[in-house]
Amino acid sequence: MDLARIRHDLHEIPEIGFNEFKTQAYIMSFLDRLSVSYEKVAGTGILAKWKKVEGPFVLFRADMDALPVFEETDAPFKSAHEGFMHACGHDVHMTILIGLIERIVTSDLNRNFLFLFQPAEEGGGGATKCLPKLEQYEITEAWALHVNDEFPEGSVYTRAGVLFASAFEVDCTFEGRSAHVAFYKQGRDAIEGAMDFLQRVYSVDRGDSVLRFGLIQGGRVRNVVADSCTLSGTVRTKAFELSEEAIMELEELGIEVATKRGLKFSQEIGSKYPQVHVDRNLYDKLCALVDVNPVEMKYVGEDFGVIAMKYPSVLFWLGTGRGEQHGLHNSRFLPADSVIEKGVEVFWKVANS
């Protein structure tokens, strides 16, 4: 198979969570060609199976979804879906998994594997929706990787214990009363309440946690006091329980600010990702197979944590760096095709061990 061509094709059709219909159909066409059995999972996902013996399965997972980002690369295979882009490298992840499947089939490897192409990693809880199907199998190990141009191309970085943070999505809404700005005292300014709230949130030293808001939406007209303002953000901690505590503290603060200003406060929680925990025994196994570099925990979120909470798991960074660094979710993030075979090789060594 021409893995570079597969990656290019996938990069051209980025789709956001639970809308990966073209991506799903494209991957299924290769599974058909390889005569690998599969079933749809979580709507737009795929769970492929390779069963050769009696006994449990080893799971390999790749995420499928893209981001609402306008691509700013000069690649001849740049996104054909304007306003969407594989800016987190999921096109590379899927291609690596396809390459692994091809190698296992070609070698007729006498072991049992599951291959999960998971939708909606970036939001929507895709891993959670895949669990009911995974629970039908006995799974002893789960493996995943994530590209990152912070590290040299082909390098492997991970650690035993918590690798990625627990990540909660949160929307905090203040509701007030509109009025003409000339008579602003007759209103209840939701934006002013949200500003007070935000300043108080950011004034606290949170130590080993991160709480930031990346989106603020409030008001309708420039000369009318806003009757509603919503702050959308994320909470990142080292443990699911700590994220829950932070969310409760956030709600208490919101109610306090709203009460003082005659406003109403409400809070909605979106996706709730547990921390990604790397199993010590599997970490040692990986270290025996490839050169593994140590790395500190990062406050990125990954819903592979849902799988890692249920099965002994490893997620590792696969370096794509070639000097210039853009970072994940950047409109210019574009790993080289050459990293694909390096990712396949790491997974292949794991599959053979």
Side-chain angles (χ1 to χ4, degrees):
M1 281 187 182
D2 185 347
L3 294 182
R5 175 59 184 274
I6 292 172
R7 183 277 175 100
H8 295 178
D9 289 346
L10 289 170
H11 191 85
E12 287 184 0
I13 55 169
E15 298 167 295
I16 59 173
F18 297 124
N19 286 274
E20 306 96 333
F21 297 104
K22 290 182 180 178
T23 304
Q24 183 187 55
Y26 184 85
I27 293 170
M28 290 190 300
S29 70
F30 284 97
L31 296 175
D32 288 336
R33 187 183 306 177
L34 292 168
S35 298
V36 173
S37 65
Y38 61 86
E39 55 187 321
K40 295 180 180 180
V41 59
T44 49
I46 305 165
L47 182 64
K49 179 173 69 174
W50 176 261
K51 181 175 174 61
K52 298 292 287 185
V53 296
E54 291 301 317
F57 291 81
V58 172
L59 171 69
F60 290 92
R61 171 270 201 176
D63 31 18
M64 302 169 68
D65 54 331
L67 290 158
V69 171
F70 284 88
E71 182 164 357
E72 295 183 292
T73 74
D74 296 324
F77 54 91
K78 70 185 299 183
S79 171
H81 294 171
E82 187 175 357
F84 300 94
M85 178 190 175
H86 271 299
C88 202
H90 295 184
D91 53 329
V92 177
H93 300 173
M94 290 183 284
T95 305
I96 288 172
L97 191 53
I98 291 171
L100 172 67
I101 295 171
E102 180 192 26
R103 195 175 288 192
I104 287 173
V105 171
T106 302
S107 302
D108 197 26
L109 202 57
N110 197 40
R111 296 181 180 181
N112 298 337
F113 299 102
L114 294 172
F115 311 101
L116 175 62
F117 294 88
Q118 181 213 303
E121 186 280 321
E122 296 291 352
T128 298
K129 289 181 170 58
C130 291
L131 274 186
K133 190 66 69 174
L134 296 180
E135 288 170 347
Q136 297 177 15
Y137 299 90
E138 182 184 357
I139 298 172
T140 55
E141 303 176 17
W143 296 80
L145 59 78
H146 203 299
V147 292
N148 189 340
D149 65 0
E150 177 183 346
F151 309 117
E153 183 178 298
S155 61
V156 173
Y157 282 75
T158 191
R159 68 193 302 269
V162 177
L163 178 67
F164 291 177
S166 166
F168 284 25
E169 296 174 343
V170 60
D171 293 333
C172 298
T173 299
F174 290 87
E175 295 182 3
R177 184 171 67 227
S178 63
H180 193 291
V181 295
F183 313 104
Y184 68 90
K185 291 184 179 180
Q186 297 178 8
R188 295 287 184 270
D189 196 332
I191 289 179
E192 189 175 10
M195 289 173 56
D196 183 13
F197 172 77
L198 190 63
Q199 288 175 339
R200 293 180 63 174
V201 169
Y202 283 178
S203 68
V204 176
D205 180 2
R206 301 191 176 274
D208 290 337
S209 65
V210 173
L211 174 51
R212 305 297 292 185
F213 293 92
L215 175 65
I216 300 177
Q217 297 173 299
R220 298 181 180 84
V221 184
R222 71 176 66 244
N223 61 348
V224 175
V225 171
D227 62 357
S228 179
C229 186
T230 299
L231 300 92
S232 298
T234 181
V235 175
R236 307 287 173 97
T237 74
K238 291 185 175 181
F240 192 86
E241 299 78 16
L242 296 176
S243 294
E244 289 184 316
E245 291 176 8
I247 287 292
M248 288 189 289
E249 292 174 3
L250 200 62
E251 185 170 29
E252 291 172 0
L253 177 60
I255 293 172
E256 179 185 332
V257 170
T259 301
K260 181 180 69 175
R261 295 180 172 276
L263 304 170
K264 293 181 179 178
F265 176 82
S266 61
Q267 182 170 275
E268 290 189 9
I269 310 302
S271 297
K272 299 167 68 173
Y273 294 174
Q275 64 276 14
V276 175
H277 186 274
V278 174
D279 180 80
R280 164 59 71 177
N281 291 332
L282 294 185
Y283 170 80
D284 291 340
K285 173 180 175 177
L286 182 64
C287 290
L289 297 171
V290 299
D291 182 16
V292 176
N293 299 281
V295 68
E296 294 298 314
M297 173 206 151
K298 293 184 181 294
Y299 284 93
V300 293
E302 236 283 4
D303 76 346
F304 184 70
V306 172
I307 294 173
M309 290 282 282
K310 188 168 184 64
Y311 308 106
S313 299
V314 170
L315 187 147
F316 61 87
W317 291 112
L318 178 65
T320 66
R322 288 186 155 192
E324 188 175 22
Q325 182 179 337
H326 295 293
L328 302 175
H329 292 205
N330 185 283
S331 59
R332 297 185 183 278
F333 181 70
L334 191 72
D337 295 334
S338 51
V339 78
I340 295 169
E341 283 292 352
K342 295 171 182 176
V344 172
E345 184 64 27
V346 177
F347 270 175
W348 174 246
K349 289 180 178 179
V350 170
N352 268 287
S353 62

